Amino acid sequence: MPGVRSPRVLPGFGLSVGFTVFYLSLIVLVPLSAVFIKSAELSPAEFWSVVTAPRVMASYRLSFGASLLAAAINVVFGLLLAWSLVRYSFPGKRIVDALIDLPFALPTAVAGIALTAIYAGNGIVGQYLEPLGIKVAYTPLGVVVALIFIGVPFVVRTVQPVLEDLDVEFEEAAASLGATRWQTVRRVVLPMLAPALLTGFAMAFARAVGEYGSVIFIAGNMPMVSEITPLIIITKLEQYDYVGATAVAAVMLIVSFALLLIINGLQAWTARNNRSGR
Amino acid sequence: MAGVASHAFGSRAHAARFERNPAAREPAAVKWIIITVSMLFFASFLLLPLYAVFSEALRKGWQAYWEALVEPDAVASMRLTLLAAAIAVPLNLVFGIAAAWAIAKHDFRGKHVLVTLIDLPFSVSPVIAGLVYILVFGAQGWFGPWLSEHDIKIVFAVPGIILATIFVTVPFVARELIPLMEAQGREEEEAALVLGATGWQTFFRVTLPNIKWGLLYGVILCNARAMGEFGAVSVVSGHIRGQTNTMPLQVEILYNEYNFAAAFAVASLLALLALVTLVIKTVIEWRLGREPHPIGAP
């Protein structure tokens, strides 16, 4: 690459890149490396037995299962919400649009106690579900509800701009060729939204897997039943099992890094698709 | 680029261009079904929790609400939350400007790697963000023995809370500024330098005025997360009442003591902060004419 671009004209490169790398190393990279260094205190066999213990395995099943389910539900309703916000006008639309980001802005602990209050046996919604035999609070279903809440903005906010920029010419062409509206949406519009939908799904899933605050209040936290993986780490820490906590954290970190790479790839795909779509 | 105009806020308000186009609209019945279903989802998953916070907070009346807010431990938690944000936000502001200046205004090897590394805190579980500081500064950690010899406490004390808050909010300002400064190019700065301005003059008189709204946007989001962070802070806090509890931790303690009205009272302040954040964010989006994008996405 050197010699290809024009020479650097703007000053401050050394200072700004030096400070950036130093700060990032100090706050993020070196502390994160501690997870892998501490995990290395265990032999591979010990590490494996810690991270595959039955209680930990049950937590993976819950964390990944509930996150998948919540992200899938968010794809469906996120698409409908984005569609309503972009394609229709209705009263209160501006306010709805602004409030989509509430799950980001509302602290997770606040969301957690609010959802628990709503879905507990005597709550606003829980009181009607309880007689039907549906228990949400203090069950794995409660975990899903909390993760749906957390994931809403990711699907809406990735689909919304793509839908906004979508050229209507494609739909006009499909309609003029005799396609019904449903055929046009299914064969023309949805395929163009697919990369954005997948990106939103992956973001919601990645966020849900690591989520802690909004889940622990509503989950009930019963070992083997409604205990999420981040809580396993906390529980081990409280028992001063630092190595065990770190081993489970290492597994979560590896999963997170893999998801980060997938999301980066998906975003590049969305951007490419979006450009060629114009 | 033709995209710039269509990115402007103006286009966002015009659903009419779809609704008036027979080739790009659904039958009225389908339209109202889609709107109804999506609004029911919106109301039950987003509005209802918001309503629940305020109605639970005021369940015992305004008098009890006020008393819960002026209770000494609650006030101490507010002070600590403000302190943590007052340290974390400016540090990450300076970091964000430095990172954006390096990345958006220069070409160098490894740029993409650096951008990915800056985003890293968003993909790490908050619990792990707290755990790492225990591994570094805890009693059994790398610096544990040295710290206890010198009688310095970092984890289970205020410095740990501040560090964890900084960790989870690192990317916010940088992530807003990098695309903004990349889009603005380098010509204005280059012109200033040619005309004899120093580097700092160029930054303060040319770059800063250009990025001020983007900067404010990043700061608002960074502050919301800094004040609301729960998981990371919970791991390093030690939960000492009146000393190492931030507002979200105070909410948890009150809630676990079945003091629901007080827990929701403190929570309602955080919910108000969230609403104020969303209002300011929306206003800046109108000014910047920018499209919505996922915030804090991994």
Side-chain angles (χ1 to χ4, degrees), chain A residues 5 8 10-11 13 20 23 27 83-84 87-89 97 101 116 149 160-161 164-165 172 181 210 256, chain B residues 12 17 19 21 23 25-26 38 45 92 95 99 101-102 106-108 123 125 131 133 167 255 281 291-292:
Chain A
R5 304 284 186 108
R8 276 183 204 120
L10 298 182
F13 176 71
T20 303
Y23 185 90
I27 299 290
W83 196 279
S84 299
R87 298 235 158 176
Y88 305 139
S89 29
D97 198 1
D101 287 311
T116 312
F149 173 82
Q160 205 177 359
E164 191 91 55
D165 291 345
E172 286 166 351
R181 182 64 191 150
S256 303
Chain B
R12 279 182 65 194
R17 75 192 158 106
E19 290 177 312
N21 188 337
R25 67 178 180 212
E26 290 74 42
S38 60
F45 278 92
N92 285 330
F95 167 77
W101 182 263
H106 300 89
D107 299 307
F108 57 96
S123 44
S125 174
L131 168 74
Y133 290 112
F167 183 106
Y255 187 85
K281 171 185 161 294
E291 287 192 330

Side-chain angles (χ1 to χ4, degrees), chain B:
Chain B
M1 205 171 109
V4 175
S6 74
H7 280 235
F9 165 71
S11 73
R12 279 182 65 194
H14 293 310
R17 75 192 158 106
F18 297 107
E19 290 177 312
R20 292 207 192 102
N21 188 337
R25 67 178 180 212
E26 290 74 42
V30 176
K31 169 183 163 174
W32 286 109
I33 290 170
I34 292 176
I35 292 180
T36 310
V37 170
S38 60
M39 287 310 116
L40 278 176
F41 177 78
F42 170 81
S44 51
F45 278 92
L46 298 186
L47 278 188
L48 203 54
L50 198 56
Y51 165 78
V53 171
F54 292 105
S55 76
E56 294 287 330
L58 294 170
R59 179 163 281 197
K60 290 188 181 164
W62 287 97
Q63 180 70 25
Y65 179 75
W66 179 249
E67 275 163 16
L69 292 185
V70 295
E71 194 264 336
D73 287 344
V75 173
S77 77
M78 292 170 207
R79 236 183 248 135
L80 184 54
T81 289
L82 290 174
L83 174 72
I87 294 173
V89 175
L91 281 176
N92 285 330
L93 170 70
V94 172
F95 167 77
I97 293 174
W101 182 263
I103 289 165
K105 304 284 181 187
H106 300 89
D107 299 307
F108 57 96
R109 242 175 241 262
K111 197 168 171 170
H112 291 290
V113 177
L114 189 57
V115 173
T116 307
L117 290 178
I118 290 172
D119 278 349
L120 216 48
F122 281 164
S123 44
V124 172
S125 174
V127 168
I128 296 177
L131 168 74
V132 295
Y133 290 112
I134 291 184
L135 296 179
V136 174
F137 298 112
Q140 303 177 18
W142 293 348
F143 301 110
W146 187 88
L147 288 171
S148 66
E149 228 168 73
H150 292 81
D151 209 23
I152 305 170
K153 271 196 83 122
I154 292 188
V155 291
F156 310 129
V158 173
I161 289 174
I162 293 168
L163 276 172
T165 306
I166 296 174
F167 183 106
V168 294
T169 52
V170 160
F172 280 105
V173 177
R175 200 180 238 205
E176 295 306 326
L177 288 188
I178 292 168
L180 182 66
M181 282 167 67
E182 270 175 348
Q184 284 170 348
R186 305 168 193 178
E187 285 84 359
E188 289 187 39
E189 281 86 0
E190 283 164 0
L193 289 164
V194 169
L195 292 172
T198 67
W200 289 108
Q201 281 175 327
T202 308
F203 173 74
F204 281 108
R205 305 232 183 123
V206 178
T207 312
L208 200 56
N210 276 339
I211 60 170
K212 59 175 190 267
W213 291 109
L215 202 64
L216 183 61
Y217 193 87
V219 165
I220 288 295
L221 301 181
C222 185
N223 179 65
R225 180 70 193 265
M227 289 193 171
E229 178 53 28
F230 175 72
V233 167
S234 160
V235 174
V236 293
S237 144
H239 299 97
I240 307 164
R241 293 189 82 128
Q243 285 179 41
T244 63
N245 276 332
T246 60
M247 286 171 77
L249 296 176
Q250 182 70 14
V251 169
E252 181 197 23
I253 288 192
L254 292 168
Y255 187 85
N256 287 343
E257 287 170 347
Y258 301 101
N259 195 348
F260 295 135
F264 278 101
V266 178
S268 73
L269 285 189
L270 290 167
L272 276 179
L273 168 76
L275 290 176
V276 170
T277 301
L278 291 181
V279 168
I280 299 175
K281 171 185 161 294
T282 308
V283 170
I284 300 174
E285 278 171 359
W286 290 352
R287 274 200 171 261
L288 277 177
R290 67 178 304 162
E291 287 192 330
H293 61 293
I295 303 163

Side-chain angles (χ1 to χ4, degrees), chain A residues 113-120 122-127, chain B residues 44 48-50 52 56:
Chain A
I113 63 168
L115 289 168
T116 312
I118 294 168
Y119 289 100
N122 57 355
I124 310 171
V125 176
Q127 59 181 324
Chain B
S44 51
L48 203 54
L50 198 56
E56 294 287 330

Side-chain angles (χ1 to χ4, degrees), chain A residues 7-107:
Chain A
R8 276 183 204 120
V9 203
L10 298 182
F13 176 71
L15 177 66
S16 61
V17 87
F19 178 72
T20 303
V21 171
F22 170 74
Y23 185 90
L24 206 56
S25 305
L26 196 70
I27 299 290
V28 180
L29 302 179
V30 173
L32 271 184
S33 73
V35 171
F36 296 105
I37 293 168
K38 182 83 177 175
S39 301
E41 284 178 16
L42 293 167
S43 74
E46 286 169 327
F47 182 86
W48 187 251
S49 80
V50 169
V51 301
T52 58
R55 191 168 157 187
V56 181
M57 289 301 279
S59 83
Y60 298 146
R61 273 193 293 276
L62 175 66
S63 273
F64 289 104
S67 300
L68 273 176
L69 187 58
I73 291 171
N74 273 325
V75 164
V76 175
F77 289 97
L79 173 63
L80 291 180
L81 261 173
W83 196 279
S84 299
L85 290 174
V86 173
R87 298 235 158 176
Y88 305 139
S89 29
F90 54 91
K93 182 168 127 168
R94 288 264 179 94
I95 295 167
V96 173
D97 198 1
L99 280 175
I100 293 289
D101 287 311
L102 182 72
F104 159 75
L106 195 68

